Amino acid sequence: MCAISVAALGLSTAGVAAATPVTVPFQINPSPYGNPNGSFDAPAPRCAAVVGAQPGAVVITGGNPGGWGCPLSSQVQWMNLSTGATGTTHLSDGLNGIPAAATVNTGIGQVVAVVNPVAGIVTPGFATFHVP
């Protein structure tokens, strides 16, 4: 009886797998002073979409170490291509040493997100990814 209980316990936990977050990087191309090639003083911002940490949600944040790299207070527009749901939010302002980020509850499905910085002349960056 004990052996059956131990075997059943082992089978019940084997089916539960922890989701591993996946990072999808994307870039926003700056155009300082109307120059689409950028310049040495305006490097290309690096953003990332982190999926799989929470079901039906994506975190838009910086793609550099520590979560930095995405423009502060940027507008984020998203659309779930599987359900048709849409929305808009803003990245945080980066105050108190906390990098810009926004958790977006998109629901499960294929999602496209556009990050549009509010300052400067830039080409918005976008990414498409599956939200589990």
Side-chain angles (χ1 to χ4, degrees):
M1 187 66 158
C2 285
I4 293 172
S5 297
V6 170
L9 181 62
L11 289 175
S12 65
T13 59
V16 178
T20 303
V22 175
T23 301
V24 179
F26 59 101
Q27 180 174 328
I28 298 171
N29 294 321
S31 184
Y33 309 110
N35 179 359
N37 297 319
S39 69
F40 70 92
D41 60 343
R46 307 263 188 237
C47 296
V50 181
V51 296
Q54 302 173 29
V58 59
V59 176
I60 305 294
T61 188
N64 293 336
W68 293 99
C70 208
L72 306 175
S73 303
S74 294
Q75 182 184 49
V76 178
Q77 297 172 309
W78 61 271
M79 179 177 193
N80 186 322
L81 301 173
S82 301
T83 66
T86 63
T88 302
T89 189
H90 284 84
L91 295 178
S92 57
D93 55 19
L95 293 177
N96 301 317
I98 301 170
T103 300
V104 185
N105 295 311
T106 61
I108 296 171
Q110 190 69 24
V111 173
V112 62
V114 177
V115 176
N116 191 9
V118 294
I121 301 170
V122 296
T123 303
F126 73 95
T128 183
F129 41 83
H130 179 76
V131 177

